[in-house]
Amino acid sequence: MTRPAGRSPRVAIVGGGVAGALLAWRTVRAPGGASVDLFTEGAGGPVDASRVSGGLVRGFEPTVAAAVPAAESLAEIRGSDVLREWSGYRETGALYVLPAGADAREPADVLQSCLPGSAEVVGRDRVVGDFPFRDLPAGAVAVVERYAGHISPHRLRTAALGAAAEAGATVHGTAVDAVTRDPAVRTADGRTRRYDRVVVAAGAWTPGLLARSGLPVAGLRTKQIQYSLCTAPLRGLGPFVDENSGLYGRPYEDGSFLLGVPTDRWDVDPGAVTADTALAARLAESARRVFGVDVTVGRTVASSDCYHDPAGLELRSLGPGLHTFTGGSGGAAKTVVSASRKAAAALLG
């Protein structure tokens, strides 16, 4: 669709998770203005990824391509009173343990350029000496990150939705049945609304919506994500990732420890995800082996997210005026602040 000269672009964003909410907020406030309709039906439910996310944020990632948006997002959160308040950011530091032979220097340099003094690359003996790891493979290396912690993606989403509406975005609770290449949005009430730009930012619901619309899924897949709140004496350990065991986690507000491992449940129905009890048992055993302490699994939380290879939350084109904004592969909380800023600029560029 060709937009008449001088008219603000009309943009539809389908999806009310943290990605859609921040994109709407960025877009409606863009220089020159934009008319934004945000469709949020289904957002905020009990299996909504923004609601149940553990919210780990750090600047280090094991590749430069992944480290850049993560470090930029963290730097923007720390530098903004508004974003710190909206997200409930808590700075705790973080530890990222890599396998033997991994080279952490280049991505750590990316982090240092965004947040000077934050990253320190250390060896296996330092990790075992300073943190409650019973053992690690010989040659393992780690990055100790000073400026890292966790946020509440749900709190950030809620604040961004309110700010977008105050800035002029129109929020619709109507369900979206399909999107079309016009580009247009067809809602459950039978209406077809045409726009200059349509963005599907519906997270794990994106592949299903595209398939239902007769559009290519474009390499997007759903995958279950799951963590458990555990009782475990892990004194001195903050947010962490251990690539050797797959374990990740952080201290939780009620005194328990949030622990998770990657699942192998692909192409799940995001509205019908159930906890994998066998995975929770394997998680507990893995934590006992890595930390050498008794671990008791309490509540297990299961949800899903949208995955893409290569992973990354970014604006992807499905044709003129039609885009997706998803594919964070379980890690969108770390990059959504930077990714939404870049997506809004690209969308209106």
Side-chain angles (χ1 to χ4, degrees):
M1 175 181 291
T2 301
R3 174 168 56 92
R7 179 172 64 78
S8 296
R10 298 181 66 249
V11 177
I13 299 170
V14 181
V18 66
L22 277 175
L23 180 60
W25 174 64
R26 300 277 201 189
T27 302
V28 77
R29 296 172 66 249
S35 172
V36 176
D37 282 359
L38 177 62
F39 296 86
T40 64
E41 194 272 338
V47 295
D48 175 88
S50 296
R51 178 178 287 277
V52 304
S53 169
L56 277 70
V57 289
R58 60 177 182 273
F60 179 81
E61 288 290 306
T63 66
V64 169
V68 168
E72 288 178 347
S73 280
L74 182 55
E76 188 170 349
I77 289 171
R78 294 186 73 254
S80 167
D81 292 341
V82 169
L83 289 174
R84 285 201 310 274
E85 170 62 26
W86 283 7
S87 66
Y89 171 63
R90 293 185 60 186
E91 190 164 282
T92 60
L95 174 71
Y96 197 111
V97 185
L98 297 106
D103 184 2
R105 294 288 175 184
E106 197 170 358
D109 287 345
V110 170
L111 174 55
Q112 286 287 82
S113 68
C114 289
L115 293 165
S118 182
E120 181 183 6
V121 180
V122 301
R124 171 196 174 279
D125 292 347
R126 170 81 177 273
V127 176
V128 173
D130 289 357
F131 300 95
F133 284 79
R134 181 172 67 176
D135 198 12
L136 286 171
V141 295
V143 173
V144 178
E145 189 172 340
R146 179 180 178 185
Y147 305 129
H150 57 88
I151 65 171
S152 166
H154 176 59
R155 176 171 166 172
L156 177 57
R157 176 255 304 280
T158 302
L161 280 174
E166 287 180 5
T170 301
V171 180
H172 302 269
T174 311
V176 172
D177 282 348
V179 294
T180 66
R181 292 188 183 275
D182 297 20
V185 171
R186 188 165 68 243
T187 51
D189 58 9
R191 292 186 60 186
T192 297
R193 297 173 168 90
R194 288 182 170 78
Y195 297 90
D196 300 305
R197 308 280 189 273
V198 170
V199 183
V200 182
W205 280 264
T206 299
L209 176 56
L210 294 178
R212 187 162 82 237
S213 303
L215 295 169
V217 176
L220 299 171
R221 299 179 69 186
T222 58
K223 186 182 182 185
Q224 181 160 330
I225 53 177
Q226 178 172 309
Y227 61 78
S228 297
L229 300 178
C230 303
T231 301
L234 299 175
R235 191 167 300 162
L237 185 63
F240 79 95
V241 173
D242 175 24
E243 285 198 359
N244 298 280
S245 64
L247 282 166
Y248 64 88
R250 69 168 176 87
Y252 203 66
E253 286 79 2
D254 63 359
S256 61
F257 213 100
L258 183 158
L259 291 171
V261 290
T263 76
D264 57 5
R265 288 188 172 184
W266 286 95
D267 303 315
V268 296
D269 177 354
V273 175
T274 58
D276 183 341
T277 55
L279 180 68
R282 292 198 300 273
L283 160 69
E285 181 53 39
S286 179
R288 290 187 189 100
R289 184 177 66 253
V290 170
F291 299 117
V293 297
D294 290 333
V295 176
T296 302
V297 174
R299 182 167 65 96
T300 294
V301 177
S303 184
S304 58
D305 203 356
C306 191
Y307 281 64
H308 185 271
D309 186 16
L313 176 63
E314 61 182 67
L315 194 72
R316 297 180 172 91
S317 176
L318 293 176
L322 183 60
H323 310 267
T324 61
F325 183 54
T326 187
S329 305
K334 295 190 299 293
T335 62
V336 67
V337 170
S338 170
S340 62
R341 174 171 38 80
K342 294 175 180 177
L347 189 64
L348 302 175

